[in-house]
């Protein structure tokens, strides 16, 4: 589209700008191109009149829902350094929920209640171990190659933690820290068991360590000794099962549908500690892990441990895995500094995007398995295609009809290409036109996903594109811009832009899938909370020395106690149960001067522990509008000397 030349990138990238100019003029005609190009002040220029794609193919704007109309897809977006996961409705792009994981959240009291603090992890004094996070990739549990609605997982890059979200209640229920890992980046659940065909669902979560560090990380060591680990976490217990020591680093992670292979792309096979060193080699790699063999090695005791960690660590370095027939890992050579590896929904290929190379590499999984079986001599033989797509390819999505969609960061485009034709072209059929279409996006896209893309049920309806720069697409709100999650109709041959959705910074990855795959519960089960105050009559105060427990059950619009007394300096634990059974009837509980504010949803119990302050009267009030008499919903904490 013509908006492309309003992009401010040409100033920063004069070379690209010129190229873009030529592309665009070819596309929309010289006059429009010149007019738009003359306007360097992106944000003030009106969009040129000819914007045909926005209304082609998609018909009436499919992303605009009528009031009361529900979205057809759930979208799970990582929140980036807000440390949360957001739930969006697609195609509308409306944000419905934020699920706090690694960072405290004021709405629900995440990181304030005792229950959430326990999940997040505390120090000896009871305070949170960490209050920052950086979520990048969110993926869901599988069964039979499709999402089964049990769990979602998201990584925390800063502190190497993985959070699990229960999809019945849409809450984080467990967080695990990976030992000896820094910069935990890629994450992907497995889709089946490599040995037992009855296990056709997720039981493992694979986690890629991006930064190489001394192992164990104690004191400064020779940087040549730094290494990274690839980690397997148990999907149910969330315990770390094993780790694999590798050469190079881990970026993204992908898994095969048969459960036999997991892979991570590597941009730093050089194991460089400095910027330039990480780009010195012409080629990097995509490492394939043979899951069954790794687990056999662990069982056979062929591992070591690192530092104080008890986790078995197998050796998946190049040196130790030269013999294909016993290798735990295989390093497939791909062009310089790849970004992203994605599994095609037909189960046949992993695709590595080139980033510094304008190409995508198509790796054939059956050939990788042949290599491990000793049937393919050279691992390069697993490369089915290495084709040029455009500048800065980062991530790839699929429509289930044999087409791939790759983001081109530098070109600010999405390119649609046909995988079979790319393979034919690579094999020498130079007439094979593998590029099907290109569309401009706004601007600099990173992650991309199609509806159901990373499942066997890829339906080829919509494409969401995470644009890293929004620039002029929304009302200016000062220096901090939102991200622009664009929605594209991919139901036809040509892609059609449907909508811009502003999202609070700073999402990376996302998945979206048919809404009927989830069956959320709207009300909690009282019995799931061991400390539930099951009856209003059970409300009351008990004292054990300086420790005071205050139990309150609430039914709109009243708390079970009209007042309660404590003494200055008491350690007060307040347990609150919401006995209302009606959906959407949430109560809050706030205490002035005591840093207490949290909510309880219908039939939920939560607790907080705090120290009673100076003597006085403190009105504890409901913060969440619940009833016509919501303002009257109060109790009094009387602190005595
Ligand atoms: Cu998935 Cu943003 Cu962490 Cu690519 S990374 S853009
Ligand atoms: Cu209870 Cu507002
Ligand atoms: Ca490199």
């Amino acid at each position: 589209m013509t908006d492309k030349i309003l992009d401010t990138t040409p100033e920063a990238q004069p070379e690209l700008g010129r190229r873009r100019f030529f592309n665009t003029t070819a596309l929309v005609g010289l006059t429009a191109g010149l007019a738009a190009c003359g306007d360097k002040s992106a944000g003030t220029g009106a969009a040129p009149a000819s914007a045909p794609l926005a209304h082609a193919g998609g018909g009436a704007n499919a992303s605009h829902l009528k009031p009361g109309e529900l979205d057809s897809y759930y979208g799970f977006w990582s929140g980036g350094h807000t440390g949360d996961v957001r739930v969006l409705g697609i195609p509308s792009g409306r944000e419905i929920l934020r699920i706090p994981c690694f960072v405290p959240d004021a709405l629900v009291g995440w990181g304030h209640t005792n229950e959430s603090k326990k999940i997040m992890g505390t120090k000896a004094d009871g305070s949170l171990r960490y209050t920052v996070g950086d979520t990048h990739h969110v993926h869901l549990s599988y069964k039979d190659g499709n999402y089964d609605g049990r769990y979602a997982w998201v990584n925390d890059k800063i502190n190497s933690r993985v959070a699990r979200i229960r999809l019945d209640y849409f809450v984080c229920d467990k967080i695990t820290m990976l030992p000896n890992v820094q910069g935990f980046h890629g994450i992907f659940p497995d889709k089946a068991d490599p040995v037992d065909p009855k296990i056709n669902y997720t039981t493992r979560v694979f986690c890629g360590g991006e930064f190489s560090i001394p192992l164990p990380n104690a004191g400064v060591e020779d940087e040549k000794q730094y290494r990274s680990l690839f980690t397997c976490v148990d999907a149910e217990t969330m315990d770390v099962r094993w780790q694999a020591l590798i050469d190079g680093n881990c970026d993204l992670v992908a898994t095969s549908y048969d459960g036999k292979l997991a892979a991570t792309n590597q941009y730093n096979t050089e194991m460089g500690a400095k910027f330039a060193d990480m780009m010195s080699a012409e080629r990097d790699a995509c490492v394939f892990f043979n899951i069954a063999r790794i687990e056999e090695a662990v069982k056979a005791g062929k591992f070591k441990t690192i530092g104080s960690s008890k986790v078995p660590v197998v050796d998946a370095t190049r040196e130790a895995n030269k013999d294909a027939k016993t290798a735990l890992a295989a390093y497939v050579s791909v062009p310089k500094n790849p970004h992203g590896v994605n599994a095609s929904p037909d189960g046949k290929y992993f695709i590595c995007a080139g980033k510094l190379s304008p190409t995508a590499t198509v790796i054939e999984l059956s050939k990788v398995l042949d290599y491990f079986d000793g049937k393919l001599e050279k691992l390069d033989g697993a490369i089915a295609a290495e084709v040029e797509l455009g500048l800065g390819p980062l991530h790839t999505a699929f429509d289930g009809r044999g087409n791939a969609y790759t983001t081109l960061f530098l070109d600010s485009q999405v390119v649609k290409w046909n995988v079979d034709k790319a393979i034919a072209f690579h094999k020498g059929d130079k007439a094979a036109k593998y590029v099907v279409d290109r569309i401009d996006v706004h601007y600099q896209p990173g992650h991309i996903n199609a509806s159901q893309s990373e499942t066997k049920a890829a339906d080829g309806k919509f494409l969401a594109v995470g644009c890293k720069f929004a620039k002029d697409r929304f009302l200016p709100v000062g220096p901090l811009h939102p991200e622009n999650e664009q929605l594209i109709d991919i139901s036809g041959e040509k892609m059609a832009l449907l909508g811009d959705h502003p999202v609070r910074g700073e999402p990376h990855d996302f998945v979206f899938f048919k809404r009927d795959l989830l069956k959320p519960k709207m009300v909690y089960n009282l019995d799931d909370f061991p400390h539930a105050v099951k009856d209003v009559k059970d409300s009351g105060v008990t004292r054990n020395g300086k420790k005071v427990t205050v139990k309150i059950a609430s039914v709109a619009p009243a708390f079970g106690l009209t007042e309660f007394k404590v003494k200055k300096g008491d350690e007060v634990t307040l347990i609150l149960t919401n006995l209302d059974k009606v959906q959407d009837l949430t109560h809050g509980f706030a205490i002035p001067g005591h840093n207490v504010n949290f909510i309880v949803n219908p039939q939920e119990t939560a607790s907080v522990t705090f120290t009673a302050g100076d003597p006085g009267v403190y009105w504890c009030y409901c913060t969440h509008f619940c009833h016509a008499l919501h303002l009257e919903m109060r109790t009094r904490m009387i602190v005595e000397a």
Side-chain angles (χ1 to χ4, degrees), residues 35-108:
C37 199
D39 181 4
K40 287 281 185 189
S41 56
T44 57
S50 57
L53 286 182
H55 300 290
N61 199 331
S63 72
H64 188 83
L65 296 187
K66 292 196 200 82
E69 219 180 317
L70 300 186
D71 282 289
S72 37
Y73 297 87
Y74 278 109
F76 278 64
W77 256 248
S78 69
H81 35 279
T82 55
D84 57 6
V85 168
R86 291 83 176 275
V87 182
L88 270 61
I90 298 293
S92 75
R94 297 178 293 200
E95 184 187 285
I96 307 167
L97 182 71
R98 291 185 186 180
I99 306 169
C101 296
F102 302 111
V103 172
D105 179 85
L107 177 76
V108 301

Side-chain angles (χ1 to χ4, degrees), residues 267 270 278 284 337:
Y267 62 79
E270 301 90 339
M278 301 183 201
D284 283 296
N337 290 46

Side-chain angles (χ1 to χ4, degrees), residues 266-270 277-281 283-284 336-337:
Q266 305 193 302
Y267 62 79
N268 191 11
T269 49
E270 301 90 339
D277 297 342
M278 301 183 201
M279 285 175 291
S280 56
R283 293 183 76 87
D284 283 296
K336 199 180 182 108
N337 290 46

Side-chain angles (χ1 to χ4, degrees), residues 168-326:
D168 49 357
Y169 292 114
F170 283 62
V171 291
C172 171
D173 76 331
K174 280 203 176 208
I175 290 178
T176 295
M177 184 175 254
L178 312 180
N180 296 305
V181 170
Q182 248 178 50
F184 160 30
H185 196 197
I187 181 171
F188 219 106
D190 69 3
K191 302 182 181 109
D193 191 89
V195 181
D196 184 350
K198 287 198 295 298
I199 303 179
N200 56 352
Y201 52 89
T202 296
T203 61
R204 304 168 180 82
V205 182
F206 299 113
C207 310
E210 184 175 351
F211 306 151
S212 299
I213 50 171
L215 294 174
N217 193 6
V220 185
E221 275 184 40
D222 174 13
E223 62 192 45
K224 293 268 166 307
Q225 304 299 315
Y226 294 4
R227 282 292 184 285
S228 301
L229 296 170
F230 182 80
T231 303
C232 174
V233 172
D234 189 286
E236 279 304 324
T237 64
M238 289 287 283
D239 293 334
V240 178
R241 281 197 192 176
W242 49 259
Q243 296 184 298
L245 182 78
I246 57 163
D247 289 319
N249 68 337
C250 305
D251 187 13
L252 251 78
V253 174
T255 60
S256 66
Y257 283 89
D258 59 11
K260 291 181 180 163
L261 298 169
T264 182
N265 64 294
Q266 305 193 302
Y267 62 79
N268 191 11
T269 49
E270 301 90 339
M271 293 194 274
K274 294 176 198 74
F275 185 71
D277 297 342
M278 301 183 201
M279 285 175 291
S280 56
E282 269 319 302
R283 293 183 76 87
D284 283 296
C286 182
V287 192
F288 285 82
F289 297 95
N290 187 317
I291 303 306
R293 278 188 198 167
I294 288 177
E295 299 197 345
E296 273 164 37
V298 171
K299 240 192 233 164
K302 290 184 201 151
F303 61 81
K304 58 172 187 171
T305 58
I306 298 172
S308 59
S309 163
K310 302 250 178 333
V311 173
V313 180
V314 299
D315 189 347
T317 58
R318 288 173 187 265
E319 187 59 34
N321 292 277
K322 283 183 173 157
D323 180 359
K325 283 191 176 163
T326 58

